[in-house]
């Protein structure tokens, strides 16, 4: 694998951590504009696939049929973190669509964010499938199965008609044949897809620029999905997370995934990026994204400033004293 260092963390001038990785940026001709490392390397989407996995729910009109609020429908794309507004929307969504919590294949969990998780523990609340980070996605899957007459049992298996439909949509968006898509099992138990990093960037280019999508039904769903993500950024993640910060910028479509995968598209510029931090770290996302946006001279400086607030390029000790630096070491 051809890779490059993306981030070096130093303490008193000595390199303490190095985060290697891959970056690919493409234009609306599907050409590679920016490259760090091997852009043909296969990478798992993890949760960066959620906007794509949500497309069948919007193609089948679930939002309209069950009169879902924007927040409830946005959950289909989300990596929700158990904040009170997430739980309220999940509870409401579960009441509206004709499925039971026991139908969810994801594991019972507590909230991901520390404050709501601690509150759940103090209140002696039990783990629930509804609290899982991917519960919104799974509720969307089940709603589609109900609408299309697919069996609920086994909706998480790759040979299920729902997963076959999702695979075909991914193939369309990624400009890659189905036989070249590699499939594993994600943390929540459903199929997770791996494709070359360049093709991953192409999918986010099409999310940002849906005019590039030939299929009218997929295009219509993508327009609806990305609008909801931009209008409800905290539902997609929560206040102080990268996805929500980027999605507050109406020019950006973005979603991260576990193990260091991040994708985003820029609507006006008609370019998109996919990246993989090979250490699996998500902590360094803000530093990498700031560097990418600064190197391409991105116009919205407020977005860049918000990312810098998430993780400044300094290392502090427990007393708040500066003891080191976080340095980006790649050039596009």
């Amino acid at each position: 694998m051809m890779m490059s260092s993306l981030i070096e963390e130093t303490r008193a001038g000595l390199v303490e951590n190095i985060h290697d990785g891959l970056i690919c940026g493409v234009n609306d001709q599907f050409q590679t504009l920016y490259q760090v490392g091997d852009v043909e390397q296969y990478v798992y989407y993890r949760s960066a696939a959620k906007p794509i996995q949500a497309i069948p729910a919007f193609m089948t009109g679930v939002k309209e049929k069950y009169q879902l609020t924007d927040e409830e429908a946005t959950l289909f794309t989300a990596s929700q973190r158990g904040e009170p507004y997430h739980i309220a929307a999940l509870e409401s969504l579960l009441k509206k669509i004709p499925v039971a919590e026991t139908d969810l294949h994801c594991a019972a969990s507590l909230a991901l964010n520390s404050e709501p998780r601690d509150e759940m523990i103090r209140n002696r609340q039990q783990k629930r499938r509804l609290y899982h980070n991917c519960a919104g996605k799974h509720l969307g899957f089940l709603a589609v199965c109900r609408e299309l007459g697919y069996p609920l049992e086994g909706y998480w298996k790759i040979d299920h008609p729902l997963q076959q439909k999702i695979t075909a949509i991914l193939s369309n968006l990624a400009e890659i044949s189905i036989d070249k898509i590699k499939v594993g099992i994600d943390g929540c138990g459903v199929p997770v897809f791996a494709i070359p990093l360049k093709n991953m960037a192409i999918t986010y280019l099409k999310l940002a620029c849906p005019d590039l999508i030939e299929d009218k039904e997929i295009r219509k769903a993508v327009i609806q999905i990305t609008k909801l993500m931009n209008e409800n950024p905290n539902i997609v993640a929560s206040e102080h997370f990268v996805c929500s910060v980027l999605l507050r910028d109406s020019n950006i479509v973005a979603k991260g995934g576990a193990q260091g995968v991040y994708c985003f598209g820029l609507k006006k510029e008609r370019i998109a990026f996919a990246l993989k931090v090979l250490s699996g770290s998500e902590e360094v996302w803000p530093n990498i994204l700031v560097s990418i946006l600064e190197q391409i001279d991105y116009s919205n400086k407020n977005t860049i400033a918000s990312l810098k607030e998430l993780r400044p390029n300094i290392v502090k000790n427990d007393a708040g004293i500066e003891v080191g630096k976080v340095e980006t070491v790649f050039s596009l």
Side-chain angles (χ1 to χ4, degrees):
M1 181 190 302
M2 186 178 69
M3 58 188 179
S4 297
S5 295
L6 303 181
I7 296 288
E8 288 186 357
E9 297 174 312
T10 61
R11 187 180 298 265
L14 179 67
V15 174
E16 188 169 38
N17 295 308
I18 296 176
H19 299 275
D20 293 335
L22 312 166
I23 300 174
C24 182
V26 297
N27 64 12
D28 60 4
Q29 303 298 310
F30 307 149
Q31 298 168 328
T32 301
L33 284 183
Y34 306 103
Q35 178 173 353
V36 178
D38 181 8
V39 300
E40 297 300 327
Q41 173 66 37
Y42 271 71
V43 174
Y44 281 112
Y45 273 92
R46 304 301 300 269
S47 284
K50 283 178 176 172
I52 300 162
Q53 292 167 311
I55 288 173
F58 289 89
M59 290 177 68
T60 52
V62 168
K63 182 179 189 294
E64 293 74 21
K65 178 171 182 177
Y66 296 105
Q67 298 182 326
L68 305 184
T69 66
D70 288 352
E71 291 83 2
E72 291 161 359
T74 305
L75 284 169
F76 297 152
T77 75
S79 294
Q80 65 84 22
R81 303 191 64 87
E83 293 293 334
Y85 51 84
H86 289 135
I87 301 303
L90 284 164
E91 293 275 17
S92 179
L93 178 59
L94 184 60
K95 290 176 182 177
K96 290 183 178 181
I97 58 177
V99 299
E101 186 170 350
T102 52
D103 293 326
L104 295 171
H105 183 62
C106 50
S109 306
L110 293 176
L112 276 186
N113 279 356
S114 58
E115 287 189 20
R117 181 176 64 248
D118 291 347
E119 184 69 16
M120 287 177 176
I121 293 171
R122 279 193 294 270
N123 293 333
R124 298 184 179 180
Q125 289 178 252
Q126 297 297 309
K127 292 180 178 181
R128 292 179 59 182
R129 296 182 187 187
L130 194 67
Y131 297 160
H132 192 281
N133 180 245
C134 299
K137 175 180 73 177
H138 283 251
L139 287 168
F141 286 168
L142 288 166
V144 172
C145 290
R146 284 291 192 198
E147 290 309 295
L148 298 181
Y150 297 160
L152 300 189
E153 179 62 29
Y155 75 85
W156 56 88
K157 297 179 180 179
I158 189 59
D159 58 355
H160 189 278
L162 170 65
Q163 299 302 334
Q164 291 294 298
K165 187 177 186 70
I166 291 170
T167 307
I169 291 171
L170 174 61
S171 171
N172 181 300
L173 294 179
E175 298 288 325
I176 188 172
S177 61
I178 289 176
D179 64 295
K180 292 184 179 178
I181 297 173
K182 298 183 180 181
V183 182
I185 301 175
D186 214 339
C188 64
V190 301
V192 59
F193 306 104
I195 63 174
L197 191 71
K198 177 177 179 178
N199 297 85
M200 192 177 289
I202 289 171
T203 62
Y204 270 76
L205 176 70
K206 290 185 179 181
L207 295 183
C209 305
D211 59 286
L212 297 172
I213 303 172
E214 294 182 3
D215 186 291
K216 292 181 180 179
E217 293 303 311
I218 296 176
R219 186 192 316 141
K220 181 181 177 183
V222 164
I223 291 170
Q224 190 176 10
I225 287 168
T226 55
K227 182 174 185 290
L228 286 171
M229 292 175 72
N230 283 129
E231 292 178 351
N232 303 277
N234 288 343
I235 293 291
V236 178
S238 62
E239 287 87 345
H240 305 297
F241 283 80
V242 172
C243 290
S244 296
V245 166
L246 287 179
L247 288 168
R248 288 186 195 112
D249 184 337
S250 61
N251 187 50
I252 297 179
V253 178
K255 186 72 182 70
Q259 298 301 313
V261 177
Y262 209 88
C263 303
F264 69 98
L266 304 176
K267 299 175 185 179
K268 290 185 295 186
E269 293 80 1
R270 298 179 69 81
I271 57 177
F273 289 85
L275 67 91
K276 165 71 172 175
V277 183
L278 293 174
S279 66
S281 174
E282 299 173 18
E283 288 187 358
V284 294
W285 278 345
N287 311 97
I288 295 169
L289 293 167
V290 164
S291 184
I292 290 173
L293 293 173
E294 288 183 337
Q295 288 189 54
I296 66 171
D297 196 24
Y298 185 58
S299 60
N300 192 333
K301 306 307 178 187
N302 290 331
T303 296
I304 294 174
S306 295
L307 287 170
K308 287 181 177 179
E309 289 178 8
L310 286 182
R311 193 169 194 259
N313 286 332
I314 57 173
V315 177
K316 293 183 178 181
N317 70 4
D318 296 341
I321 299 170
E322 183 176 340
V323 295
K325 294 182 180 180
V326 180
E327 299 180 274
T328 53
V329 292
F330 67 90
S331 297
L332 295 177

